[in-house]
């Protein structure tokens, strides 16, 4: 009987561990997109800055661009869910006069990095973790993130 209880306990730990791996949270919410979405509907807001180095997530992206910037923590600012593949997307951060950066981690670990504007092709369906960073450590600013096709 004692071994059965021990096995059940280990099974519950495994379930809880797997659940936390698949549960995705974001500091400022989610964006869900399907092809043909209306311009101006894929908008999210947040604030950025801190001392968490975004290059610690990835030094370079799939195009060999450097990943730069600082965020408040390692939790993504937004989760973008693409319901289908997109040939091209453009992400833009409006933070007034503060220099910002983007680090995006997609399905299968694909990394994309850029400055306040990131345009790229071949976006596969799935979940994308998005970090909006301030280019300089400790600088805090509010921003609006918009996505266009």
């Amino acid at each position: 009987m004692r071994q059965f209880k021990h096995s059940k306990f280990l099974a519950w730990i495994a379930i809880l561990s797997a659940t936390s791996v698949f549960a995705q949270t974001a500091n400022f919410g989610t964006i869900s997109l399907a092809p043909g979405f209306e311009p101006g509907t894929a908008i999210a807001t947040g604030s950025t800055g801190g001392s968490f180095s975004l290059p610690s997530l990835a030094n370079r992206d799939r195009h060999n661009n450097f990943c730069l910037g600082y965020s408040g923590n390692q939790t993504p600012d937004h989760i973008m869910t693409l319901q289908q593949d997109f040939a091209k997307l453009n992400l833009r951060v409006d933070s007034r006069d503060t220099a910002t950066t983007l680090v995006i981690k997609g399905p299968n670990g694909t990394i994309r990095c850029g400055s306040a504007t990131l345009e790229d092709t071949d976006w596969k369906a799935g979940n994308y973790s998005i970090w909006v960073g301030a280019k300089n450590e400790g600088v805090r600013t509010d921003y609006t993130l918009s996505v266009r096709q």
Side-chain angles (χ1 to χ4, degrees):
M1 182 71 165
R2 180 174 238 198
Q3 185 172 354
F4 178 72
K5 285 182 181 180
H6 182 70
S7 297
K8 283 178 70 175
F9 177 72
L10 291 176
W12 274 109
I13 288 176
I15 289 170
L16 291 174
S17 297
T19 302
S20 66
V21 168
F22 293 111
Q24 290 191 340
T25 61
N27 291 323
F28 303 108
T30 62
I31 301 170
S32 183
L33 303 173
F37 68 90
E38 293 292 321
T41 60
I43 296 175
T45 60
S47 61
T48 190
S51 59
F52 178 74
S53 174
L54 292 177
S56 69
L57 298 171
N59 279 328
R60 294 179 181 258
D61 71 3
R62 68 189 201 131
H63 300 296
N64 212 26
N65 297 316
F66 285 105
C67 299
L68 303 171
Y70 295 89
S71 182
N73 57 54
Q74 66 186 33
T75 303
D77 295 311
H78 306 278
I79 303 293
M80 179 174 68
T81 301
L82 302 182
Q83 296 171 14
Q84 296 177 22
D85 293 352
F86 282 81
K88 181 172 94 172
L89 286 176
N90 181 302
L91 285 78
R92 183 175 186 274
V93 177
D94 181 3
S95 58
R96 299 188 186 110
D97 294 328
T98 303
T100 54
T101 63
L102 285 164
V103 175
I104 302 170
K105 184 176 181 181
N108 299 321
T110 301
I111 301 293
R112 301 166 198 259
C113 297
S115 59
T117 302
L118 187 151
E119 186 173 317
D120 203 2
T121 59
D122 195 28
W123 296 80
K124 300 298 182 195
N127 292 326
Y128 290 78
S129 298
I130 301 173
W131 288 265
V132 178
K135 192 162 188 168
N136 298 310
E137 186 174 10
V139 174
R140 297 198 181 274
T141 189
D142 293 334
Y143 65 83
T144 300
L145 172 69
S146 59
V147 183
R148 291 184 177 162
Q149 292 187 71

